[in-house]
Amino acid sequence: MSDLVDLADRADLELLLRRFYGAAFADPVIGPYFAGTDLERHLPHIADFWERALLRSAEYRRDLFAPHAALNGQQPLTALHFGRWLQLWNATVDGLYSGPLADRAKAQGERISIALLRRLSDGGTGGGTSGGTGGFVPLSAVLLRSR
């Protein structure tokens, strides 16, 4: 039995996001994509997204795809990048929380990773994985889950 509690509120999400982005910024695979990011400026928006996705209690009216498309335009994001993001996300969630909302956070992270990679691979149309990398995110997710 775990001594960890489940995610419960925005404060829990902010702790999770700070811990996750600390790891992501330092990561050699995905860290370079975060160079120059002002976390304090972006954290409220990121927390709004996750609060809406997990707690259904916040408004999020931004375009999740646009910043990822801009990054992809500078240096292509691949299944390797999304797989690493997912690995760090799941490890951060598992290190802090345990329960239905923590499980939902990991499942939602996997869905977002797959959806973003698919859209980036097909030029943002949402119509498939013509870039040839789409099938690897689900495999990465399965392999990472088994740690």
Side-chain angles (χ1 to χ4, degrees):
M1 178 177 252
S2 173
D3 291 336
L4 299 176
V5 298
D6 202 2
L7 284 158
D9 56 26
R10 187 172 179 108
D12 291 343
L13 287 172
E14 288 180 2
L15 173 63
L16 172 66
L17 292 168
R18 285 183 188 285
R19 180 95 36 104
F20 167 75
Y21 281 103
F25 285 13
D27 187 75
V29 175
I30 64 172
Y33 286 92
F34 294 105
T37 299
D38 179 357
L39 184 59
E40 293 308 311
R41 189 173 127 231
H42 291 290
L43 188 67
H45 304 298
I46 299 165
D48 284 349
F49 172 82
W50 284 104
E51 188 175 1
R52 179 173 170 82
L54 299 175
L55 305 174
R56 313 281 192 239
S57 60
E59 289 296 320
Y60 182 78
R61 298 185 189 275
R62 295 168 96 67
D63 180 0
L64 177 66
F65 181 70
H68 296 90
L71 289 173
N72 189 63
Q74 295 170 8
Q75 177 72 30
L77 290 160
T78 68
L80 172 70
H81 299 107
F82 285 102
R84 183 62 177 158
W85 183 94
L86 187 59
Q87 181 184 30
L88 293 172
W89 178 252
N90 287 346
T92 306
V93 172
D94 286 342
L96 292 170
Y97 302 105
S98 179
L101 282 177
D103 291 342
R104 187 185 309 165
K106 293 184 292 185
Q108 186 72 4
E110 185 175 328
R111 283 191 295 276
I112 291 167
S113 298
I114 293 167
L116 285 173
L117 181 61
R118 283 186 179 147
R119 281 192 69 191
L120 292 171
S121 296
D122 68 13
T125 65
T129 56
S130 61
T133 57
F136 291 106
V137 168
L139 176 58
S140 296
V142 168
L143 293 174
L144 292 171
R145 240 185 271 146
S146 65
R147 285 194 238 155

